Amino acid sequence: MDMKEKLQELAETAKARIEESEGLDKLNDVRVAYLGKKGELTAILKSMKEVAPEERPKVGQLVNETRARIEALLEESRKKLEETIREEKLKAEVIDVTLPAKKSLIGHRHPNTIALEEVERIFIGMGYEVVEGPEVEYADYNFTKLNIPEDHPARDEQDTFFINDSILLRSQTSPVQARTMEKGKLPIRMIAPGRVFRSDEVDATHSPSFHQIEGLVIDKNITFADLKGTLEEFAKELFGPETKTKFRPHHFPFTEPSAEVDVSCFKCGGAGCRFCKGSGWIEILGCGTVHPNVLRMCGIDPEEYTGFAFGVGLERIALLKYEIDDMRLLYENDIRFLKQF
Ligand code: DAH
């Protein structure tokens, strides 16, 4: 058999073996058997020395052609096999678009958040800015600059979580008043919502961590009348246009005069019911005109500027608005409860 026939036969058997290869592994075996280092074609190439020198270029060309042919067949077969594998995979992964979709559960806003956004909306509408202060605060801001003297019972460790002598978890949002005044940008018209902390046992109306919204206005010629008008408007927006307000004299160290504000019970309209414990009134916040000592300590001249401040309990608003009778419900994260708002 001459070299030409030999190569032709080799190409034929290679073709047959390639065609019957059923997987990429098998195909690779064929490649190795013919084109590999110890493969049949390679062996022929090695036996070239037995070929007469004048024949060598021709035979060499034949070997190369055979090699190219086998490579082309291998490549073609590989593509076909890969295509089949891909089709089978697609068939196996068919998606039935007629199946009902899985609904992803989107959460929604917590009653506290809804109440806060409502309060923010009202005050932003009156031209207030929303600012924030730190939850870990200096005693200086939480007490001293708010005219709360060293021996005041509010400083007692029973009420306040102290971190050390001078740093604590703020027990009220009022320190944001001092921080804002100290910045020196006047006039001021701001609310400051945020988390506050007190060493209280958990019960239906207490929690060691709750939220307040502080309010502060500083400008020339601000009087108690501005405070009354503002908070009356706030109460009407929040609880409805029929709402009446009552300012009861009270004491806070940082305001003088100070008051607590009650709103007429929006459940019974003031006649007295279970909701307002028969009084017809519900307490909602503390307020007053800013004490001159506070203004002075925060770098503002009380002869030139005056102002008013207030502090609202956010949970209290949420509980009232949504008629929730136990504050603990707000923190338990029971989805059956939260879903109702
Ligand atoms: N910080 C007071 C508290 O936690 C609430 C308060 C009362 C804030 C009167 C004020 C205010 O700004 O003027 O009980």
Side-chain angles (χ1 to χ4, degrees):
M1 207 195 298
D2 74 356
M3 199 54 132
K4 194 172 171 188
E5 278 172 37
K6 215 170 157 186
L7 281 166
Q8 217 146 37
E9 201 187 292
L10 187 126
E12 289 305 317
T13 50
K15 186 170 180 239
R17 282 189 62 185
I18 288 169
E19 277 166 3
E20 71 202 19
S21 295
E22 272 178 354
L24 290 170
D25 286 356
K26 293 267 154 47
L27 200 63
N28 197 44
D29 290 347
V30 180
R31 172 191 296 280
V32 173
Y34 287 90
L35 310 179
K37 263 190 191 156
K38 291 178 183 159
E40 291 190 31
L41 198 69
T42 320
I44 290 177
L45 215 53
K46 278 181 188 160
S47 66
M48 281 286 274
K49 45 187 175 306
E50 286 151 34
V51 176
E54 65 275 18
E55 293 278 307
R56 277 182 202 163
K58 230 179 111 197
V59 175
Q61 198 192 344
L62 271 175
V63 171
N64 282 340
E65 277 169 16
T66 311
R67 182 182 187 86
R69 206 171 140 213
I70 296 175
E71 268 171 357
L73 287 168
L74 281 165
E75 180 60 15
E76 193 188 325
S77 198
R78 186 185 62 83
K79 275 190 187 148
K80 262 193 215 143
L81 280 172
E82 278 177 358
E83 179 69 9
T84 319
I85 292 168
R86 212 172 71 91
E87 267 166 24
E88 270 164 17
K89 203 172 158 209
L90 282 178
K91 243 183 251 162
E93 286 174 0
V94 149
I95 296 167
D96 182 353
V97 291
T98 65
L99 279 174
K102 250 194 224 157
K103 248 201 206 158
S104 48
L105 277 177
I106 300 172
H108 59 101
R109 292 173 307 159
H110 189 276
N112 269 356
T113 311
I114 304 173
L116 174 59
E117 286 178 355
E118 177 71 2
V119 173
E120 285 183 346
R121 183 190 64 76
I122 296 169
F123 281 105
I124 288 170
M126 293 195 243
Y128 286 59
E129 219 184 317
V130 181
V131 303
E132 277 184 18
E135 290 173 5
V136 180
E137 185 56 285
Y138 291 106
D140 224 27
Y141 284 105
N142 199 76
F143 297 127
T144 317
K145 290 182 186 195
L146 295 173
N147 201 34
I148 302 175
E150 285 293 338
D151 54 359
H152 196 278
R155 292 197 181 216
D156 199 315
E157 294 197 28
Q158 276 173 7
D159 300 316
T160 308
F161 290 112
F162 280 93
I163 287 170
N164 58 36
D165 282 352
S166 59
I167 297 174
L168 44 76
L169 299 184
R170 65 176 177 191
S171 62
Q172 48 186 354
T173 44
S174 305
V176 189
Q177 286 190 34
R179 285 181 173 274
T180 309
M181 284 187 267
E182 271 189 359
K183 287 208 174 113
K185 253 182 73 191
L186 293 166
I188 295 167
R189 206 174 278 122
M190 69 84 168
I191 55 167
R195 193 189 287 270
V196 301
F197 306 85
R198 283 180 204 178
S199 166
D200 278 330
E201 292 294 333
V202 174
D203 66 26
T205 53
H206 292 85
S207 159
S209 153
F210 57 103
H211 299 79
Q212 291 186 331
I213 304 160
E214 196 74 16
L216 177 69
V217 171
I218 306 279
D219 204 344
K220 289 177 176 159
N221 307 315
I222 296 287
T223 69
F224 202 91
D226 298 303
L227 168 63
K228 275 195 86 174
T230 303
L231 293 181
E232 272 170 18
E233 195 50 38
F234 166 63
K236 285 197 167 90
E237 282 263 355
L238 194 61
F239 296 113
E242 316 290 280
T243 310
K244 290 199 262 312
T245 38
K246 180 163 80 176
F247 287 70
R248 269 184 297 105
H250 199 78
H251 171 262
F252 296 105
F254 32 89
T255 42
E256 181 60 36
S258 305
E260 276 187 335
V261 175
D262 298 343
V263 291
S264 54
C265 178
F266 41 84
K267 207 77 215 274
C268 62
C273 67
R274 190 187 61 88
F275 207 69
C276 56
K277 297 191 185 95
S279 74
W281 294 96
I282 297 169
E283 182 201 320
I284 60 156
L285 57 81
C287 64
T289 37
V290 180
H291 199 294
N293 284 351
V294 173
L295 290 172
R296 236 176 267 119
M297 277 188 279
C298 298
I300 294 172
D301 179 2
E303 297 301 324
E304 197 184 351
Y305 283 94
T306 50
F308 65 78
F310 52 89
V312 194
L314 177 60
E315 278 78 359
R316 188 156 176 77
I317 301 290
L319 296 181
L320 288 173
K321 259 193 98 77
Y322 302 111
E323 299 182 21
I324 303 163
D325 58 7
D326 192 325
M327 189 166 164
R328 284 168 289 200
L329 288 164
L330 291 175
Y331 304 119
E332 280 167 357
N333 287 338
D334 185 331
I335 199 84
R336 292 165 301 179
F337 166 76
L338 292 171
K339 261 183 162 148
Q340 300 171 55
F341 306 96

